[in-house]
Amino acid sequence: MSGAPGDTQSGLRDRLTDGLYGLGWTAVKKLPEPVARALFRTIADQVWKRRGKSVLRLESNLARVVPGASPARLAALSKAGMRSYMRYWMESFRLPTWSPARIKASIDVRDAHRLTDGLDTGRGVILALPHLGNWDLAGAWVTTDLKVPFTTVAERLKPETLYDRFVAYREGLGMEVLPHSGGAAFGTLARRLRAGGLVCLVADRDLSASGVEVNFFGDTARMPAGPALLAQQTGALLLPVTLSYDDTPVMKARIHPPVEVPESGSRTEKTSSMTQALADAFAVGIAEHPEDWHMLQRLWLADLENRGDRP
């Protein structure tokens, strides 16, 4: 018996999506770099001109980051934001072919000693990042230049073949990738940290019931509790990291001061305080480089509650 028409359309869409990403990882890396850069900038500008839901959502999010910005300013920021987002994809498709020397030359890390000193203590380190810049490039720098393996978590994507592509891509860069679904990931991360290892987590958006409410650019959002809970349970150092682009080929990274575990309070209170501290650090980096924050989804609770009214 054949599936329903909706199932067939979904299957075709999934195969198309997987095929496009597969084409990206095979074809884009073969292009001359100036051609690839120009191509992805053109794609970004065309997507921006169509004013689809993702672009409108990006502008809505940026309006919170840059309060009082005029419509022209928001439009300029969203255009730059789409170019930044497409730069991320262009670099990611080409990253597997980059040499360790090229990776090192493509990132400038401020206060890297906070990471290396923390690892030297043997207590384990958690790096928590927002969706800024190219977090895969930052991870590749850790594994190739510092020669430190690390463990991360990836959201299960559909189709499953696309998720497998992302896992293979990141494992090829030297990362251990765990699926986000299920409770096993937390235990594995804790074991890695207790052994003195490194864990890297993108941590500026959590739509689950276990997320922690934080004040973020003046309104309530929800961020994952995992980084704070792992730091409390394992004694690992928790370091916020922010990334940004400029007009050069070199991405900038900043490792912020550690988020300490409060001396008093319940586990819930400590987790709330630490997650708010992460949100505050993320806000600093995002406010400085709003065009590099690739948040094309709803984030604030007020927007999630009004799904029917907003893109």
Side-chain angles (χ1 to χ4, degrees), residues 139-201:
W141 170 77
V142 170
T143 59
T144 59
D145 191 48
L146 298 186
K147 294 180 172 55
V148 175
F150 68 85
T151 305
T152 189
V153 174
E155 180 182 356
R156 280 205 172 275
L157 302 172
K158 292 184 179 180
E160 189 76 13
T161 50
L162 180 58
Y163 171 77
D164 293 340
R165 285 189 191 275
F166 272 94
V167 170
Y169 158 63
R170 290 182 170 129
E171 288 180 342
L173 298 175
M175 311 175 193
E176 179 188 22
V177 182
L178 306 176
H180 184 271
S181 58
F186 188 91
T188 302
L189 295 174
R191 287 193 295 274
R192 299 291 184 269
L193 292 168
R194 291 190 181 103
L198 176 64
V199 164
C200 299
L201 300 170

Side-chain angles (χ1 to χ4, degrees), residues 12-251:
L12 289 171
R13 186 168 55 248
D14 287 349
R15 287 196 294 274
L16 177 61
T17 299
D18 179 58
L20 288 173
Y21 278 99
L23 180 63
W25 268 300
T26 55
V28 175
K29 62 186 178 184
K30 297 178 182 178
L31 294 174
E33 187 152 331
V35 174
R37 288 189 179 277
L39 172 62
F40 276 74
R41 175 167 284 210
T42 299
I43 293 171
D45 291 349
Q46 290 301 315
V47 171
W48 178 80
K49 284 180 182 178
R50 287 206 302 266
R51 309 290 293 164
K53 288 185 177 181
S54 294
V55 173
L56 295 177
R57 173 50 47 196
L58 177 61
E59 282 189 14
S60 178
N61 290 339
L62 289 171
R64 294 179 182 270
V65 175
V66 189
S70 66
R73 168 67 171 149
L74 286 176
L77 275 176
S78 68
K79 184 174 185 178
M82 292 309 300
R83 287 182 172 184
S84 174
Y85 186 50
M86 286 299 119
R87 175 174 171 175
Y88 161 78
W89 281 112
M90 187 275 295
E91 290 179 346
S92 295
F93 287 141
R94 298 173 68 86
L95 197 51
T97 68
W98 286 8
S99 67
R102 171 66 191 275
I103 292 171
K104 181 178 181 179
S106 298
I107 184 169
D108 178 22
V109 183
R110 175 179 166 188
D111 294 323
H113 68 90
R114 289 181 172 137
L115 170 58
T116 54
D117 290 352
L119 290 169
D120 287 344
T121 67
R123 62 185 285 197
V125 176
I126 306 160
L127 296 180
L129 307 86
H131 286 81
L132 268 173
N134 188 337
W135 44 96
D136 289 327
L137 173 56
W141 170 77
V142 170
T143 59
T144 59
D145 191 48
L146 298 186
K147 294 180 172 55
V148 175
F150 68 85
T151 305
T152 189
V153 174
E155 180 182 356
R156 280 205 172 275
L157 302 172
K158 292 184 179 180
E160 189 76 13
T161 50
L162 180 58
Y163 171 77
D164 293 340
R165 285 189 191 275
F166 272 94
V167 170
Y169 158 63
R170 290 182 170 129
E171 288 180 342
L173 298 175
M175 311 175 193
E176 179 188 22
V177 182
L178 306 176
H180 184 271
S181 58
F186 188 91
T188 302
L189 295 174
R191 287 193 295 274
R192 299 291 184 269
L193 292 168
R194 291 190 181 103
L198 176 64
V199 164
C200 299
L201 300 170
V202 179
D204 58 344
R205 184 173 184 261
D206 190 332
L207 304 183
S208 71
S210 61
V212 177
E213 292 188 4
V214 296
N215 184 295
F216 197 53
F217 290 102
D219 207 344
T220 303
R222 191 179 289 127
M223 295 188 181
L229 289 172
L230 284 167
Q232 291 176 62
Q233 293 193 18
T234 68
L237 189 68
L238 176 54
L239 295 172
V241 179
T242 55
L243 309 170
S244 63
Y245 291 129
D246 56 19
D247 294 331
T248 74
V250 180
M251 184 178 71

